[in-house]
């Protein structure tokens, strides 16, 4: 059995990237640093919203799932997913919540759109539980931050575009 080598992706300073468990960040530097006696090349990614900086060894970029902002095909697929009918499985909430968290942390815009679609509640439908609301807000924030970079607009504009898609296709 041979090991498949993934193509090496290069990231440039100033470029926006998606780290699966943290969302959209900006590459601020590629630097060399000596850690535990060995020199490592590190990609420095800043997440302004969380006031957090990650230093990722360039040799580990493919295994941590760091990727460029999604292309048009993926984003259109995510928008189509938002327009779909909610699919709520008849399993315990704790199990569904775990599935939703995993989808959000995958960093995949289509999977995140599925979470938003399934947890979206319009104004005239019964209230969500606190934990449902938390997961929904986390998902919408994650997708809106990527959409804002993709469409070159503010996060607020991206948020309202996502809400517009949801309300337009949920006239119940």
């Amino acid at each position: 059995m041979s090991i498949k080598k993934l193509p090496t992706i290069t990231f440039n300073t100033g470029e926006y990237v998606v780290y699966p468990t943290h969302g959209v960040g900006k590459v601020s530097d590629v630097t060399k640093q000596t850690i535990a006696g060995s020199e490592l090349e590190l990609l420095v990614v800043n997440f302004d919203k969380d006031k957090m900086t990650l230093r990722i060894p360039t040799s580990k970029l493919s295994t941590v799932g760091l990727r460029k902002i999604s292309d048009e095909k993926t984003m259109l697929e995510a928008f189509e997913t938002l327009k779909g009918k909610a699919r709520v499985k008849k399993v315990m909430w704790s199990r569904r919540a775990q599935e939703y968290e995993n989808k959000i942390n995958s960093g995949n815009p289509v999977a995140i759109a599925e979470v938003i679609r399934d947890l979206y509640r319009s104004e005239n439908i019964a209230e969500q539980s606190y934990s449902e609301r938390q997961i929904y807000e986390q998902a919408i924030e994650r997708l809106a931050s990527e959409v804002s970079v993709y469409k070159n607009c503010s996060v607020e504009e991206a948020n309202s575009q996502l809400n517009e898609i949801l309300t337009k296709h949920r006239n119940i």
Side-chain angles (χ1 to χ4, degrees):
M1 186 167 100
S2 65
I3 298 172
K4 187 177 176 186
K5 179 113 172 84
L6 294 170
T8 313
I9 301 171
T10 55
F11 298 98
N12 303 314
T13 304
E15 182 177 19
Y16 285 97
V17 294
V18 178
Y19 190 89
T21 54
H22 298 296
V24 176
K26 190 174 190 176
V27 176
S28 64
D29 197 11
V30 179
T31 184
K32 288 192 186 314
Q33 195 171 357
T34 304
I35 299 172
S38 58
E39 188 171 71
L40 289 174
E41 186 178 40
L42 301 170
L43 189 72
V44 182
V45 181
N46 289 323
F47 298 88
D48 290 336
K49 187 195 157 292
D50 299 327
K51 295 177 180 50
M52 178 177 72
T53 301
L54 275 183
R55 288 174 175 72
I56 309 159
T58 53
S59 60
K60 300 278 186 201
L61 291 178
S62 60
T63 56
V64 298
L66 189 73
R67 65 173 175 82
K68 295 181 180 276
I69 296 295
S70 296
D71 58 7
E72 184 174 8
K73 180 179 176 271
T74 306
M75 284 304 207
L76 291 175
E77 190 179 337
F79 296 147
E80 282 304 310
T81 301
L82 288 176
K83 295 174 185 177
K85 187 173 179 348
R87 295 188 191 119
V88 180
K89 294 178 184 162
K90 301 289 184 216
V91 294
M92 288 176 34
W93 166 246
S94 60
R95 180 90 26 114
R96 275 189 299 144
Q98 187 62 50
E99 271 183 40
Y100 291 149
E101 290 284 344
N102 290 340
K103 284 182 177 186
I104 293 168
N105 289 332
S106 74
N108 178 343
V110 177
I112 296 170
E114 288 172 8
V115 174
I116 295 168
R117 175 198 67 202
D118 294 349
L119 292 178
Y120 173 74
R121 303 281 183 273
S122 64
E123 302 302 315
N124 58 355
I125 296 180
E127 296 247 338
Q128 283 178 310
S129 72
Y130 178 76
S131 57
E132 272 185 314
R133 188 81 193 147
Q134 292 295 104
I135 292 172
Y136 173 78
E137 286 175 1
Q138 182 185 7
I140 200 109
E141 173 194 310
R142 192 69 63 84
L143 188 59
S145 64
E146 188 164 356
V147 169
S148 74
V149 173
Y150 169 75
K151 289 194 169 196
N152 197 18
C153 63
S154 72
V155 175
E156 292 76 22
E157 288 174 299
N159 228 327
S160 64
Q161 288 174 10
L162 294 175
N163 279 323
E164 190 177 308
I165 291 171
L166 288 165
T167 53
K168 192 181 287 183
H169 295 277
R170 293 289 173 87
N171 294 335
I172 298 170

